[in-house]
Amino acid sequence: MKVLVPVKRVIDYNVKVRVKADGSGVDLANVKMSMNPFDEIAVEEAIRLKEKGVATEIVVVSIGVKQSQETLRTALAMGADRAILIEATDTVQTDIEPLAVAKLLAAVVKEEGPGLVLCGKQAIDNDMNATGQMLSALLGWSQATFASELVIDGDTAKVTREVDGGLQTISVKMPTIVTVDLRLNEPRYASLPNIMKAKAKPLAAKTPADYGVDVTPRLTVVKTVEPAGRKAGIKVGSVDELIAKLKDEAGVI
Amino acid sequence: MAVLLLADVNDGQLATDAVAKTVTAVKSLGDVHILVAGQGGESAAAEAAKLDGVARVLFAGDHAYCHGLAESTAALIVSLAGDYSHIAGASTAFCKNVMPRVAALLDVMVLSDVTAVIDADTFERPIYAGNAIQTVTSSDATKVMTIRTANFTGVGSGGSVAVEPVSGPVEALSSWVEDKVASSDRPDLTSAGIVVSGGRGVGSEEDFKLIEGLADKLGAAVGASRAAVDSGYAPNDWQVGQTGKVVAPKLYIAVGISGAIQHLAGMKDSKVIVAINKDEEAPIFQVADYGLVGDLFTLVPELTEKL
Ligand SMILES: Cc1cc2nc3c(=O)[nH]c(=O)nc-3n(C[C@H](O)[C@H](O)[C@H](O)COP(=O)(O)OP(=O)(O)OC[C@H]3O[C@@H](n4cnc5c(N)ncnc54)[C@H](O)[C@@H]3O)c2cc1C
Ligand SMILES: Nc1ncnc2c1ncn2[C@@H]1O[C@H](COP(=O)(O)O)[C@@H](O)[C@H]1O
């Protein structure tokens, strides 16, 4: 079974985000970019499926600027076999919307014929939490979101999902789309020899036109502003002082 | 035009808090019709019919709509979609699972985690873990969205409309196996007036009882950081943050939590924040109204006792 893993290049999760003063967006010039953390978990899961003999080939796909190939190389260094870069914009300031990403991925799925697509639960830049569900809809496949456990058994997969009340286990028909949550696994680091080897692995460069997909956004960003900040308050010296403040000053207990 | 609001139902009970807050968020957009889906949902539908400002309640009682399975639930919504300008649900795991699927089936973009409805086409939503707020307009014919409920006050329940049965298509792509849901007498995390959260600093599942003890003394819900959940001190549904629950109680007490941006994303709209941490440089103090520097293992028992 072939496994497809879409990986997104996003601002590194440790970077302090700065909103541009003119309200036009978030400043992405010269900031550290990395693989979306959830996508690292998806790549890791695919590699483990291959190590178990369930998966035969892992194809990673990224949609965005040319530099997304760095993210793809990271995935290849972790253990993916082959990469597809779909260059859909020439500026990092343009985020390709989940609907367009899902359409491109659906076209890739039709070409590649994977039995499983492992997506991240959400991209930590746009926080949409949408692409996997949209791809599943476009393909008419089953979906299992927010996975913390995945067991594939022939033509079904048993997936445990992190839901609001705790955990839910469902059984889905293969082929399927799984979106991965934080506790599915701990992704490995790529070793230096594997980083070197990854340079020789195949990476195909495509454009949305190759798939006949229109990536024009449906949402227009009017403005981007910083949220109302919170000011640091005071330090209290004792539990008694804290209780007094909460009772008399804040009136919350 | 009208708004179709997908109701969260847990174990046959309406998630009244989430639904009532979502009604508040969307009622300026038109008549609100609530959809309750799943066999055995009669009492949830009856509950929804009491919410103020609701014009109609649709009840799809087919078994296929139980357990929130996305494929059939989305197909049901799409079969009803023609009458609506907007389709909304709370930003719960259930609606986040279903709404993007609905949007793609309608060939529209989804609006996730809307925090303000400006007009029929214009919405605000947080991005980058709440470090930026975006105002977007949608050019799509139908707006499909999830609403982050933390900052809305729910409508009351003095109304009464009839519950109308509806049916729709079923997609046999997935099936429910089991739920592992811990029941608790504590208030629900997302609607509690007070939340006490513990982090990695608490150190063990056993010591998390300290956090729970303080919470019980205050009649509070219990939350946790991702590190506490990953380490097995607390269950996953307690996680507060960018990828967990978003809360805005009147009082949030963070114990042994450093204050990473991903955690702040889930609690920085709380009215009053208290931080207890032994590291006086911990970033949590930059958002805390009252900070107490010291060892949680002495401070928390003392606080619990003196309250
Ligand atoms: C994609 C992604 C998503 C994430 N989503 C979330 C999310 O939704 N929610 C979330 O919380 N995190 C999330 N994180 C993780 C986040 O980045 C931090 O790693 C996490 O919040 C840290 O948890 P913590 O504060 O409990 O642990 P730490 O950062 O280790 O802090 C522990 C604190 O406890 C204090 N302490 C230790 N012992 C004591 C003591 N005896 N008395 C008093 N204080 C003590 C320490 O001084 C320290 O400040 C996410 C990360 C990523 C990459
Ligand atoms: N531009 C992209 N390129 C590759 N994968 C993407 C892209 N955007 C989203 N994805 C995938 O979809 C997941 C969810 O993203 P989102 O719906 O944007 O929150 C990510 O974790 C990726 O697996």
Side-chain angles (χ1 to χ4, degrees), chain A residues 44 47 51 70 72-81 188-202:
Chain A
E44 174 65 34
I47 297 168
E51 287 166 349
E70 293 161 18
L72 291 167
R73 289 286 173 210
T74 307
L76 293 172
M78 285 173 75
D81 297 297
R188 70 194 64 191
Y189 291 101
S191 66
L192 198 56
N194 285 344
I195 293 172
M196 298 312 291
K197 269 190 246 158
K199 292 188 175 144
K201 288 185 180 177

Side-chain angles (χ1 to χ4, degrees), chain A residues 6-9 36 38-39 61-64 96 98 101 105 118-123 125-132:
Chain A
V7 296
K8 187 176 186 186
R9 180 176 184 264
N36 183 38
F38 288 98
D39 303 352
V61 191
S62 194
I63 296 150
I96 308 298
V101 171
L105 293 174
L118 285 168
C119 286
K121 148 172 145 170
Q122 85 193 49
D125 50 1
N126 63 25
D127 281 334
M128 281 287 186
N129 191 334
T131 304

Side-chain angles (χ1 to χ4, degrees), chain A residues 3-22:
Chain A
V3 180
L4 190 76
V5 186
V7 296
K8 187 176 186 186
R9 180 176 184 264
V10 298
I11 194 167
D12 187 86
Y13 80 97
N14 275 315
V15 171
K16 169 99 185 75
V17 169
R18 251 177 265 286
V19 177
K20 291 204 244 172
D22 63 1

Side-chain angles (χ1 to χ4, degrees), chain A residues 197-212:
Chain A
K197 269 190 246 158
K199 292 188 175 144
K201 288 185 180 177
L203 189 155
K206 302 272 189 180
T207 65
D210 294 335
Y211 299 99

Side-chain angles (χ1 to χ4, degrees), chain B:
Chain B
M1 287 284 259
V3 185
L4 182 65
L5 194 166
L6 176 63
D8 275 74
V9 178
N10 301 319
D11 249 349
Q13 301 294 310
L14 186 74
T16 308
D17 180 77
V19 177
K21 287 173 175 169
T22 309
V23 173
T24 301
V26 301
K27 66 181 182 204
S28 66
L29 296 168
D31 276 358
V32 178
H33 300 180
I34 295 188
L35 172 63
V36 173
Q39 190 179 38
E42 287 84 358
S43 69
E47 188 69 26
K50 289 191 213 149
L51 292 175
D52 292 331
V54 171
R56 288 171 71 187
V57 172
L58 312 178
F59 174 51
D62 194 299
H63 182 69
Y65 305 132
C66 288
H67 305 296
L69 295 172
E71 302 87 348
S72 290
T73 309
L76 168 67
I77 294 173
V78 169
S79 75
L80 300 169
D83 300 335
Y84 297 97
S85 57
H86 297 77
I87 299 173
S91 285
T92 54
F94 168 54
C95 292
K96 285 178 174 174
N97 186 32
V98 172
M99 286 306 174
R101 190 175 180 97
V102 170
L105 291 171
L106 296 173
D107 192 28
V108 304
M109 239 317 267
V110 71
L111 293 140
S112 305
D113 274 328
V114 167
T115 47
V117 173
I118 311 293
D119 61 36
D121 307 314
T122 314
F123 308 89
E124 276 179 22
R125 56 178 303 269
I127 52 173
Y128 293 91
N131 284 301
I133 311 290
Q134 219 174 41
T135 305
V136 293
T137 57
S138 165
S139 58
D140 284 322
T142 311
K143 277 77 179 174
V144 178
M145 58 190 162
T146 54
I147 303 284
R148 184 176 280 197
T149 52
N151 296 318
F152 294 98
T153 308
V155 295
S157 45
S160 80
V161 293
V163 173
E164 305 162 43
V166 292
S167 58
V170 164
E171 298 261 11
L173 288 166
S174 61
S175 56
W176 174 80
V177 178
E178 67 171 339
D179 286 334
K180 277 197 191 128
V181 174
S183 61
S184 130
D185 297 334
R186 295 198 185 97
D188 180 55
L189 185 53
T190 49
S191 57
I194 303 180
V195 174
V196 182
S197 288
R200 198 200 312 266
V202 177
S204 69
E205 186 180 1
E206 218 161 71
D207 285 325
F208 223 82
K209 295 267 179 298
L210 285 177
I211 304 297
E212 299 178 49
L214 176 56
D216 291 340
K217 195 71 182 271
L218 288 162
V222 187
S225 71
R226 173 190 171 184
V229 176
D230 284 3
S231 311
Y233 310 164
N236 66 281
D237 51 303
W238 288 4
Q239 182 176 314
V240 170
Q242 180 184 20
T243 53
K245 295 204 169 102
V246 178
V247 302
K250 67 177 188 241
L251 175 60
Y252 187 91
I253 305 182
V255 182
I257 291 178
S258 61
I261 53 166
Q262 292 86 4
H263 188 78
L264 302 186
M267 44 66 78
K268 68 180 162 49
D269 290 334
S270 305
K271 191 163 160 263
V272 174
I273 297 174
V274 170
I276 299 178
N277 197 304
K278 69 176 179 190
D279 172 11
E280 65 175 322
E281 301 290 316
I284 189 78
F285 288 121
Q286 290 164 21
V287 299
D289 299 279
Y290 303 109
L292 190 52
V293 179
D295 186 359
L296 71 91
F297 294 102
T298 56
L299 294 171
V300 173
E302 186 188 341
L303 180 59
T304 309
E305 196 203 300
K306 287 182 171 166
L307 276 166

